[in-house]
Amino acid sequence: METDTDQDIVKIKALRKMQASALALLGFAVLLFIIAIYFKIPILQAFSEAAMVGGIADWFAVVALFRHPLGIPIWHTAIIPTKKNEIGENLGNFVSEEFLNREKLEIKLDEFNFASKASEWLSEEENADKIANVVAVNIVPGILKTIKDEDVRRFIQAQFKEKLEGINFGDWVAVALEPLQKGDLKNQMLTNLLEVMSSELTNNKDLIRQKVKASTPFLSFGLADKSITEGVFNGLHDFLNEAKKADSAVRQKIDEYIFNFLEKVKNSEEMRIKINDMILNFAGKKEVQDYINGIWDEIKLSITNDLNKGDESSIKNSVSGLIQTFGNGIKEDSIMIDKINNFIKNDLLSVLLNNKKVIGDLISSTVKSWDGKEVSEKLELEIGKDLQYIRINGTLVGGIIGLVIYGVEQLYHYFII
């Protein structure tokens, strides 16, 4: 792909080539004039004189658009740089009055059927991929670079804290624990918990022995370790086995404790406040805050890694699929097509027309802000090549007119005099 500089170089070369051609033709006319004078050829002299006048006159006219010919500040030359402001104002008025005309625009919109053509274009996979590629390569990375990480983290933390403070965890816990007071669910959960504790006690008997040994006096020489360990283990084991029995005193005490706790959670405002405070204090711990801060980093990293996959990017492919689905959906919905076209024709067009003076003023102020010399050079680069044909045509047409005048003069002398 050519850069702007490469394109400018190509345009400059083309302009210089056409300028050289026009100058060469003028030079040829000068040569013919010299030959005509030297060899006394009247008809050739008439042609070459008129060709030189036409070529020079049109050279002056073309150059006068962009600069002072030969650097001489002749009146009404360098029209573009000196009349830049007036040109901008006239251009703004022309666009706002001639282009932004409701009747003309409505006719064009009806003929164009924007919604139908847009839906056809969007439904094609190649076009959807082009838009998705722009989103994946330019828009999303641009947004990620623009967003400040600290602002996002601060926003997430503020939202997290606000949401937590708006939740009455006491009520949630009360609702969640209420089924435990009904039916066999509580008894079954408690039995399962006691079974797990009993199993873990058995599996960790050696660990209990080591803890007991580390706590007994050194002078006991380990004689009491085994008996103490067995006593502790058997005591705990018997307690858990007794608790498993539904009609045991231990089980009844546990049931009573659970019942009282649930009643407090359900009916005690103080207990609910304690639960809320406990959860909020937990959420305020550094580990939790670090985790919350890492959420944005993880999201950003995941997006970046996905976009780096190119054509395999799930984000890009999802966007492309959504665009195609959107295009197909509109294409098959005549009511939606009419709504979109009417929206463009009525609402958007009204906004555009209501602001046509602003648009005209924007064009005018934009042109006025440009540097006159720079505008002149850029315009010459764009249209100067074609304007050289005026010089070429001026030279040739001038020569032909010279021949016509010479012929008329000869006929006058032949028939009249």
Side-chain angles (χ1 to χ4, degrees), residues 127-147:
N127 298 328
D129 285 341
K130 288 179 181 178
I131 299 176
N133 192 59
V134 172
V135 173
V137 174
N138 298 318
I139 296 178
V140 175
I143 293 174
L144 291 178
K145 289 179 180 178
T146 302
I147 295 175

Side-chain angles (χ1 to χ4, degrees), residues 177-196 240 242-248 250-259 262:
L177 295 180
E178 187 174 1
L180 294 179
Q181 291 182 300
K182 301 175 181 178
D184 296 330
L185 180 60
K186 178 188 66 175
N187 291 329
Q188 185 62 47
M189 289 182 63
L190 183 56
T191 300
N192 292 340
L193 176 61
L194 293 171
E195 289 286 352
V196 172
L240 293 175
E242 185 68 19
K244 292 177 188 177
K245 299 176 182 178
D247 57 350
S248 68
V250 174
R251 183 62 169 264
Q252 292 176 2
K253 284 287 184 183
I254 295 174
D255 287 344
E256 183 181 351
Y257 175 80
I258 293 174
F259 178 83
L262 294 178

Side-chain angles (χ1 to χ4, degrees), residues 117-135:
K117 285 184 169 56
S119 62
E120 288 283 351
W121 192 85
L122 292 174
S123 63
E124 295 182 10
E125 182 178 358
E126 181 182 357
N127 298 328
D129 285 341
K130 288 179 181 178
I131 299 176
N133 192 59
V134 172
V135 173

Side-chain angles (χ1 to χ4, degrees), residues 16 83 109 255 409:
R16 296 290 179 262
K83 298 289 184 179
L109 287 174
D255 287 344
E409 182 183 3

Side-chain angles (χ1 to χ4, degrees), residues 14 23 29 37 74 96 126 132 161 170 193 210 213 228 231 240 248 296 361 374-376 380 395 406 410 414:
L23 182 61
I37 293 295
I74 302 172
S96 62
E126 181 182 357
K161 181 179 179 182
L193 176 61
Q210 292 174 10
K213 184 178 181 180
I228 294 173
L240 293 175
S248 68
W296 168 243
D361 292 341
E374 184 179 355
V375 172
S376 178
E380 185 176 17
T395 303
Y406 178 78
Q410 294 303 310
Y414 182 77

Side-chain angles (χ1 to χ4, degrees), residues 12 18 32 56-57 75 82 114 123 159 193 217 258 266 272 309 342 355 367 371 376:
I12 290 172
M18 287 304 302
L32 291 179
I56 293 172
W75 190 43
T82 56
F114 175 84
S123 63
Q159 292 298 310
L193 176 61
I258 293 174
K266 287 173 60 178
R272 297 189 185 197
K309 295 178 182 178
N342 288 333
N355 292 278
V367 174
D371 177 73
S376 178

Side-chain angles (χ1 to χ4, degrees), residues 4 26 28 41 64 97 105 152 164 194 212 217 245 283 317 323 325 327 367 370 416:
D4 291 341
L26 180 59
F28 182 68
I41 308 174
E97 295 300 329
L105 289 175
V152 177
L164 281 182
L194 293 171
V212 170
K245 299 176 182 178
N317 293 330
I323 293 171
T325 302
V367 174
W370 292 343
I416 305 300

